[in-house]
Amino acid sequence: MTDLPNYYHAVGRNNNTTAGDHSTTNNIKKNNQPQQSTLILSNNETNQDDHNPPASTYMEIAGIHGKPYREWAGDHKKEEQKASDFDYEDRKDTLPVPSRFGGYCNHGSVTFPTWHRPYVMLVEQAIGEAASRLAADIERANPQEVGLWVPEAQRLRFPYWDWAALKVRDEGLPPVLIDDEVEILVAGDQTEVIRNPLSYYTYQGGVPPDFQDELSPRTGMAYFSSWTRSFRHSTEDPVGSTNKEALQQAVRGTVDFVRSQLGLLFNMGDDEDPAHAFDRFSNSVIQSNDVFEDEEPITPLEVIHGRIHGAVGGNGHMSSPDYAAFDPFFFLHHSNVDRIFALWEWCYPDYWMGDGYRDPNPDVDRSFVWTQERGTYMQVYNEQILPTGARGALYPFRLENGEYWNSEQARFLGTSAYPKYYSYDEFLGIKVDREASAEERRAARRRIYDFYGFNPSTAAAKTNRASWSHIPVRSSKEAGLPELFKEINNFRIFVVAVQLPEHAFNRTYSFELQYNQGTESRCIGAVTVFARPDHSPCKACAKRRSFGSITHGAIPLPFSLVNDLIVKSRAERTTATFETTATDIIKTLSAALVDASGKLLASARGGDEAPTVPRERVASSTVIPAKVALYTSGVAEKIGDANHPVHLFDWKRHNDLFPSGWRAEDDEAI
């Protein structure tokens, strides 16, 4: 008898040929419809470990992302493949720690968005299968409701929560994502209050034995070995709790930051190197920056996603990559990350990782391959990444034929793409599974960055033009832009570029940029590093740690703030130059490094006039940012076409923000 493989194919909701739309969680506010009820009930169903098949339990699916570092139950092998399998009874696998099985990590890699796509499809599939079973059971027990539950269950797609929607600034998370109980519709047009599976997850059978507390050198931070359920913004308490007020404050307070960063992400031009553009968009490390030096600053999707992890998690599960997926919000978050990916790849269909990237210097004939030790036991040290073939495998997710997904198959949601059986609801007139012309895609980009409040044309029209008259912009003709583009005279955007050591503090932390003027002090932007601790068994993270990987981000300065500072700079000086204006802006800025629990680790004050940090409080070079510098860019518009995206050009780097150094506010930073 042959040994048949025990696969759980991650193929999404392929129960019919119709691609259902993911919709926002705003559509499940009242939970009074059969589809909404089956979403809640099926989530609760997958939380049970006696669920069949085992691979579709929430514990198994969440465990793919990090702890407990064991092979996913849905990816068992044929007999001839089992030689490489992890075995808890084999000491070569378990000793020393980290073990031979190093997880499935695809962070800091061009595969970040493509790997997480079948991951979201997997949870949608498991919940969809449970929903169909539950709906069928309800109709069998209630013949008068036949046709009411099963069709809605078939149409069910896992929702997303749009953390960049403007109303989040006022409303924060909706009750259905934070209340521990929820009222749903049940058979017979009755309602019932049940446990809310979108708020928290309780470990079935107790906390896994290899869960470890994540500690700072002196105090406990997160008691993952004791907490029997997931928490957000918990106190440092072995019992654990969710501080809803702190959670909502953090979520509301991060909206403007990520909106401006998303706006800049959709401001990429049409003439970039395709592989480099996808690298800049997709992941925190931006490997191709090694040869594309001093590129215009941008915040990759992975880094924006890390900010949401930190804001929702606080001192809790979402802030730690090893435990994040055990918070049910993880998949609502990643469904929205996938939605942003779908929008971006629809807008920029020609930008793709390809087989690698080339040196941009036309006089140098060099090409480079994507590499990463991606963390699985099946991959060799520093293996090449390709979009297809064996080196493109997105472990552990398999297709119907038993082969692994690859990045090329994970691309796009249109009808000509590899079937995924879902799309997203319409956004600003954009439907990501529909074909469009190049001009339609360009017009959509402009609507997107305008929606996120990052439209340089609109900002330029609101500036005090007389005060900006000394701000130089290179002519579009001199810069070699297309003939129909014309620069906006005496106007530039201001962006702070940030590069942070990924493993500086042995956990997730943030760089927060602050504006200070008189008695006013407020945070105007942030870049979050979503990092595992040193003791994590993740081999991909260990590899990045060994070569000192850097997380890239950018903080666009608010247009209105820059205008006010330029007006003030002109008023206070008899003569103002571009350089003196940049200096005046820098000296109003300061920064802080804080961990996910809010602990202040280090700080810095901007400008040459800031006091020098005392020698005994100077922060270690291993934890401070690798770069914090001010950049500005000119803006060109297409003549006679208000729907065409602007072109950012004539980028200039100005001074570093913190020449007086970083002060260690906690001994951990020394």
Side-chain angles (χ1 to χ4, degrees):
M1 180 177 177
T2 58
D3 181 24
L4 297 175
N6 181 23
Y7 302 148
Y8 184 82
H9 303 113
V11 293
R13 295 223 63 191
N14 64 342
N15 54 355
N16 55 51
T17 58
T18 303
D21 286 348
H22 290 226
S23 61
T24 174
T25 50
N26 292 332
N27 293 345
I28 54 173
K29 285 180 180 177
K30 297 180 180 179
N31 303 295
N32 60 353
Q33 299 296 322
Q35 187 180 111
Q36 299 158 354
S37 295
T38 53
L39 172 68
I40 300 295
L41 291 168
S42 56
N43 268 270
N44 271 331
E45 176 85 356
T46 60
N47 286 352
Q48 306 304 312
D49 279 355
D50 57 358
H51 186 87
N52 186 32
S56 63
T57 64
Y58 191 86
M59 183 69 195
E60 277 290 333
I61 294 174
I64 292 172
H65 198 261
K67 291 281 188 170
Y69 284 91
R70 64 177 180 231
E71 296 173 49
W72 176 47
D75 192 32
H76 290 171
K77 314 296 186 304
K78 297 178 182 178
E79 190 63 43
E80 62 269 22
Q81 296 174 314
K82 289 184 178 179
S84 65
D85 269 11
F86 177 83
D87 183 356
Y88 270 104
E89 303 303 317
D90 192 330
R91 290 173 64 88
K92 77 176 185 302
D93 287 350
T94 59
L95 295 174
V97 175
S99 65
R100 182 166 64 95
F101 176 71
Y104 299 110
C105 178
N106 277 258
H107 297 93
S109 164
V110 288
T111 58
F112 169 79
T114 54
W115 183 86
H116 282 83
R117 177 161 281 173
Y119 196 15
V120 171
M121 290 175 65
L122 172 62
V123 76
E124 175 169 275
Q125 174 181 334
I127 287 172
E129 289 173 352
S132 292
R133 289 195 301 270
L134 289 166
D137 290 344
I138 291 172
E139 290 194 0
R140 274 193 296 270
N142 301 272
Q144 73 279 11
E145 296 191 3
V146 169
L148 178 64
W149 294 87
V150 170
E152 290 301 321
Q154 276 202 318
R155 284 190 286 268
L156 176 66
R157 296 298 185 274
F158 194 76
Y160 65 87
W161 186 68
D162 185 2
W163 28 257
L166 192 57
K167 63 182 177 183
V168 176
R169 183 195 294 163
D170 299 319
E171 299 177 5
L173 287 163
V176 73
L177 300 186
I178 56 176
D179 291 346
D180 284 355
E181 292 185 332
V182 62
E183 184 180 82
I184 64 168
L185 178 75
V186 294
D189 202 30
Q190 300 296 307
T191 60
E192 183 178 327
V193 175
I194 65 171
R195 189 192 82 81
N196 183 6
L198 303 182
S199 175
Y200 68 97
Y201 168 71
T202 298
Y203 299 113
Q204 303 298 297
V207 181
D210 66 339
F211 281 25
Q212 297 174 266
D213 298 343
E214 291 194 356
L215 307 174
S216 70
R218 293 178 291 112
T219 59
M221 179 178 144
Y223 289 87
F224 294 124
S225 69
S226 304
W227 292 341
T228 58
R229 50 156 282 187
S230 63
F231 292 112
R232 304 164 187 163
H233 288 266
S234 178
T235 57
E236 292 185 357
D237 180 351
V239 176
S241 61
T242 287
N243 184 332
K244 292 183 181 179
E245 182 178 349
L247 167 63
Q248 293 287 48
Q249 182 178 350
V251 169
R252 291 194 297 264
T254 207
V255 174
D256 288 339
F257 306 162
V258 297
R259 283 175 61 84
S260 64
Q261 289 168 332
L262 281 172
L264 191 57
L265 200 58
F266 283 87
N267 251 305
M268 275 194 190
D270 296 316
D271 55 353
E272 295 208 22
D273 176 88
H276 180 53
F278 187 83
D279 191 22
R280 294 177 66 216
F281 160 78
S282 63
N283 74 98
S284 60
V285 173
I286 313 184
Q287 180 184 331
S288 57
N289 262 18
D290 291 342
V291 295
F292 288 81
E293 294 182 358
D294 226 19
E295 278 289 297
E296 55 265 28
I298 204 166
T299 304
L301 178 63
E302 182 182 2
V303 178
I304 296 173
H305 125 281
R307 180 65 187 171
I308 305 303
H309 270 281
V312 172
N315 187 43
H317 291 75
M318 271 288 286
S319 294
S320 172
D322 270 349
Y323 303 95
F326 294 106
D327 184 332
F329 185 82
F330 176 92
F331 291 103
L332 297 163
H333 167 38
H334 270 278
S335 187
N336 194 49
V337 171
D338 184 71
R339 172 177 160 267
I340 299 297
F341 175 35
L343 282 169
W344 192 90
E345 66 179 352
W346 184 90
C347 288
Y348 298 97
D350 297 327
Y351 288 169
W352 181 233
M353 69 173 75
D355 295 344
Y357 56 101
R358 293 191 59 80
D359 196 307
N361 185 346
D363 298 325
V364 178
D365 185 18
R366 288 193 303 173
S367 60
F368 304 84
V369 299
W370 306 117
T371 62
Q372 184 198 29
E373 186 175 16
R374 284 171 281 177
T376 81
Y377 59 96
M378 295 185 67
Q379 293 160 313
V380 299
Y381 172 83
N382 210 27
E383 185 178 9
Q384 179 185 7
I385 298 174
L386 290 170
T388 60
R391 292 182 179 175
L394 300 177
Y395 305 109
F397 310 118
R398 292 184 186 262
L399 300 163
E400 294 96 332
N401 62 4
E403 300 296 323
Y404 289 106
W405 278 88
N406 63 47
S407 290
E408 189 71 52
Q409 292 162 330
R411 288 181 81 188
F412 301 131
L413 300 181
T415 55
S416 60
Y418 196 91
K420 301 173 184 69
Y421 309 102
Y422 76 91
S423 181
Y424 288 96
D425 49 6
E426 190 172 281
F427 176 68
L428 304 178
I430 304 161
K431 196 70 172 65
V432 294
D433 58 352
R434 294 179 189 158
E435 293 300 318
S437 68
E439 282 306 312
E440 288 172 326
R441 296 176 199 270
R442 291 191 186 99
R445 279 163 42 199
R446 179 148 186 153
R447 294 198 301 274
I448 290 172
Y449 68 63
D450 195 27
F451 172 83
Y452 288 124
F454 195 78
N455 190 329
S457 295
T458 303
K462 296 179 179 179
T463 60
N464 184 310
R465 304 304 293 166
S467 297
W468 286 68
S469 61
H470 66 297
I471 303 297
V473 179
R474 192 180 182 193
S475 74
S476 56
K477 183 177 181 180
E478 182 185 347
L481 299 186
E483 185 176 344
L484 292 179
F485 276 85
K486 175 66 176 175
E487 74 278 3
I488 301 177
N489 286 319
N490 306 118
F491 177 79
R492 302 180 76 85
I493 65 169
F494 288 69
V495 181
V496 173
V498 182
Q499 294 182 5
L500 305 169
E502 181 181 355
H503 296 96
F505 291 103
N506 203 27
R507 61 189 183 275
T508 294
Y509 74 99
S510 293
F511 169 98
E512 296 184 351
L513 185 67
Q514 296 160 331
Y515 164 71
N516 315 283
Q517 193 78 310
T519 59
E520 180 186 3
S521 181
R522 59 187 171 99
C523 187
I524 58 174
V527 174
T528 295
V529 178
F530 185 49
R532 301 183 203 264
D534 292 349
H535 64 248
S536 172
C538 178
K539 287 188 176 178
C541 293
K543 179 67 171 68
R544 292 199 305 278
R545 185 182 299 111
S546 69
F547 66 72
S549 62
I550 296 294
T551 293
H552 296 253
I555 300 172
L557 299 187
F559 295 127
S560 60
L561 174 62
V562 171
N563 182 63
D564 291 346
L565 289 173
I566 289 179
V567 171
K568 186 174 186 294
S569 176
R570 286 299 299 270
E572 293 180 348
R573 291 181 181 273
T574 54
T575 59
T577 66
F578 190 20
E579 289 71 25
T580 59
T581 294
T583 298
D584 288 345
I585 290 174
I586 288 173
K587 70 182 182 183
T588 69
L589 304 176
S590 63
L593 302 179
V594 297
D595 73 6
S597 69
K599 179 180 178 181
L600 178 61
L601 302 164
S603 65
R605 295 176 61 181
D608 294 328
E609 299 174 10
T612 303
V613 177
R615 183 176 179 181
E616 67 275 12
R617 299 308 303 171
V618 172
S620 168
S621 61
T622 62
V623 302
I624 63 173
K627 180 171 84 171
V628 183
L630 180 66
Y631 284 72
T632 64
S633 169
V635 180
E637 299 174 300
K638 189 175 182 181
I639 300 170
D641 189 352
N643 293 322
H644 199 283
V646 298
H647 189 96
L648 304 182
F649 76 112
D650 191 30
W651 283 93
K652 295 186 183 299
R653 173 174 174 166
H654 302 274
N655 295 340
D656 291 343
L657 264 64
F658 307 121
S660 297
W662 283 80
R663 177 186 177 90
E665 300 292 351
D666 187 273
D667 289 348
E668 193 176 350
I670 296 179

